[in-house]
Amino acid sequence: MIKNALLSLKKNIGKTILLFVIIVVITNLVIAGLSIQSATKKSMDQIRSSLGNDVTLSVDFRNMIKNRKPSEAVSNETPLTTTMADSLKDLKYVKNYNYQISTSANSNSISAVETASDNSNNQPEQASNQGDFTISANTTMKYLDSFTNNNYKLTKERLLTTKDQNTNNCVIETNLASDNDLSVGDTFTITTTVNDETITQELIIVGIYEIQSTNEIGSAHFNNPVNTIYTDLSIGQTLTGSSENITSAIYYLDDSENAEAFVELAKKKSDIDFDTFSLDANNRLYQQNASSLESMQSFAKMFVWIVVIAGSAILCLILALTIRNRYYEIGVLLSLGQSKVKIIAQQLIEVGLIAVVAFVISLGTGQLTSHYMGNMLESSSSSNVMQMGQKGDQPNDNQNQSDSNQQKNNT
């Protein structure tokens, strides 16, 4: 039976080559489609991972502005509190957390690092309401993005941890330390005004860091990261005059893929008003960068099905035409006493032999195709990640708005 199949393939070499070429093409197209699906899934995971495993709880000023009545001022009577933040810190998926307060302060004992833009006469009016230094008060600095992604590098001693709770320890940038002849162990004071009362706070330096990304340096001194002073959360609470209010709460999850699940769980388990507050899992940024990949993944899936269905239909048509043209041969075999089962088996063996050879060759050509597709999508994904840049730990839009409101209340 196998011998007859081989003789038949040799005899009908034209049809054999046609079937071989069609099967190779179909197989390579299917492999290409599956490779695109696999590569896009990998690229989407890479983008999701690059955005980090953190979810930020903060006041949603965008939503509040959207829902307000015309000409109505945005209310600031519902600030984010530690009580609200605490209701989420023990939920499933949460591995660690950090509460932040972003505010500003002045100092009579040290000077801010100035840039060329500070001497410009076109400074915005808001600059007069800003302190010379940005105060970033945290529960811990261990998980701050700027340090974990190496945009900022610790050069002396240590960062602040939960062990620095209720202390006046701080970490400053190397240029600020150099300009003011400061080193680890030195102290200085900062001042601010809360409810017409001047608050003076002494700080002691326990660490010095250096900004590695030069494009972050150069803005006016009140926004210049070299003038950022990191302190414990309690210092921020002192400077803002509230022991409860915070700017944001950041929850670090066990896996970045659990971000959406955590958001849904938080909305279900907590009493937080999510018309006023938002849990930002970077979904908007993720969707912006992954939408094209999702479309490509859907197209690849549809492409595979079309290739399989169309290819199968073409193969069935060719086989049907082949069998129809072999009626005389089949009749002779039946007259010689060969059973119908053996005749059908011979037809299947012929197709099987062609398919086996085609599949083996397709493994090599398909690997080249999948490798090319993978590299192309990986390059595209890497470009998206680079364009997104590093998030850093500077205040986001909501935090900036909160800081602005706090400053208005302080003056």
Side-chain angles (χ1 to χ4, degrees):
M1 198 161 43
I2 296 178
K3 183 178 179 180
N4 289 338
L6 291 172
L7 290 174
S8 179
L9 291 175
K10 186 177 180 181
K11 179 182 178 182
N12 301 287
I13 188 67
K15 294 177 181 177
T16 300
I17 294 175
L18 178 62
L19 281 175
F20 172 78
V21 171
I22 290 175
I23 293 176
V24 168
V25 171
I26 292 173
T27 304
N28 276 273
L29 290 175
V30 170
I31 291 175
L34 295 176
S35 298
I36 292 174
Q37 290 189 64
S38 177
T40 51
K41 178 64 168 61
K42 183 178 178 180
S43 296
M44 289 166 66
D45 290 342
Q46 183 181 352
I47 292 175
R48 176 75 262 183
S49 177
S50 71
L51 292 174
N53 62 336
D54 56 291
V55 179
T56 303
L57 174 66
S58 58
V59 179
D60 192 348
F61 284 97
R62 289 191 183 94
N63 199 39
M64 292 174 68
I65 292 174
K66 180 181 178 181
N67 294 331
R68 70 185 175 92
K69 296 179 180 179
S71 303
E72 182 182 12
V74 178
S75 172
N76 191 40
E77 297 179 357
T78 53
L80 179 64
T81 65
T82 53
T83 301
M84 296 178 187
D86 286 343
S87 67
L88 304 183
K89 70 178 183 179
D90 295 321
L91 290 181
K92 184 180 178 182
Y93 309 121
V94 178
K95 189 176 181 180
N96 293 290
Y97 67 92
N98 178 37
Y99 298 165
Q100 287 187 328
I101 294 176
S102 178
T103 186
S104 64
N106 292 300
S107 176
N108 294 322
S109 60
I110 63 172
S111 301
V113 177
E114 294 189 358
T115 60
S117 59
D118 294 329
N119 299 320
S120 171
N121 294 324
N122 297 322
Q123 290 295 326
E125 185 177 347
Q126 185 183 359
S128 61
N129 296 325
Q130 295 283 346
D132 288 337
F133 303 94
T134 296
I135 307 300
S136 179
N138 298 269
T139 306
T140 176
M141 293 178 66
K142 183 178 180 180
Y143 309 105
L144 294 182
D145 291 331
S146 289
F147 291 92
T148 58
N149 62 27
N150 294 320
N151 273 3
Y152 295 1
K153 180 182 178 182
L154 181 68
T155 57
K156 293 183 181 179
E157 293 301 325
R158 64 182 180 84
L159 300 178
L160 301 178
T161 67
T162 53
K163 294 181 180 180
D164 293 289
Q165 183 177 0
N166 297 321
T167 68
N168 62 341
N169 296 337
C170 73
V171 176
I172 65 174
E173 209 273 337
T174 184
N175 290 286
L176 180 61
S178 177
D179 280 15
N180 292 278
D181 196 23
L182 296 173
S183 59
V184 173
D186 289 344
T187 62
F188 62 92
T189 59
I190 55 175
T191 62
T192 190
T193 302
V194 178
N195 298 325
D196 297 326
E197 178 184 352
T198 299
I199 295 177
T200 301
Q201 177 66 55
E202 184 180 72
L203 299 177
I204 180 170
I205 303 171
V206 298
I208 296 176
Y209 69 95
E210 181 180 10
I211 297 177
Q212 303 291 300
S213 179
T214 55
N215 61 353
E216 294 191 25
I217 303 175
S219 56
H221 63 265
F222 50 83
N223 281 329
N224 197 330
V226 298
N227 292 318
T228 297
I229 301 173
Y230 291 91
T231 70
D232 174 59
L233 191 71
S234 60
I235 300 297
Q237 292 172 333
T238 298
L239 296 177
T240 56
S242 173
S243 60
E244 274 287 312
N245 298 350
I246 58 177
T247 302
S248 64
I250 305 174
Y251 303 94
Y252 301 94
L253 310 184
D254 52 3
D255 194 313
S256 58
E257 293 185 358
N258 293 328
E260 292 184 12
F262 169 72
V263 172
E264 292 300 320
L265 182 63
K267 291 180 178 179
K268 181 179 179 181
K269 294 290 186 179
S270 72
D271 297 326
I272 297 174
D273 180 10
F274 286 102
D275 286 331
T276 304
F277 303 94
S278 67
L279 270 174
D280 181 14
N282 299 302
N283 285 336
R284 183 169 59 89
L285 191 59
Y286 173 76
Q287 290 298 331
Q288 288 176 352
N289 289 275
S291 58
S292 59
L293 292 175
E294 289 178 339
S295 300
M296 187 178 295
Q297 189 177 42
S298 299
F299 169 78
K301 185 176 182 179
M302 184 182 299
F303 176 77
V304 169
W305 280 109
I306 291 174
V307 169
V308 170
I309 294 172
S312 299
I314 292 172
L315 285 176
C316 289
L317 178 61
I318 292 175
L319 291 175
L321 292 174
T322 300
I323 293 175
R324 186 175 182 180
N325 292 332
R326 296 176 64 179
Y327 280 168
Y328 177 77
E329 178 186 343
I330 293 173
V332 171
L333 292 174
L334 288 172
S335 65
L336 293 175
Q338 196 167 45
S339 66
K340 294 180 179 180
V341 174
K342 288 186 177 181
I343 294 174
I344 294 173
Q346 179 182 329
Q347 303 293 326
L348 295 175
I349 289 173
E350 291 177 13
V351 176
L353 290 173
I354 297 173
V356 168
V357 176
F359 288 152
V360 170
I361 293 177
S362 295
L363 289 177
T365 57
Q367 187 175 6
L368 293 174
T369 303
S370 61
H371 182 70
Y372 173 76
M373 293 290 183
N375 287 341
M376 182 178 66
L377 289 173
E378 185 177 349
S379 176
S380 175
S381 174
S382 299
S383 177
N384 284 338
V385 171
M386 291 178 65
Q387 289 176 3
M388 284 188 290
Q390 303 295 347
K391 290 182 297 172
D393 56 87
Q394 299 302 313
N396 56 27
D397 291 341
N398 289 341
Q399 292 171 335
N400 283 331
Q401 181 66 45
S402 178
D403 179 41
S404 176
N405 287 331
Q406 288 173 355
Q407 292 300 318
K408 290 178 181 178
N409 291 336
N410 291 347
T411 56

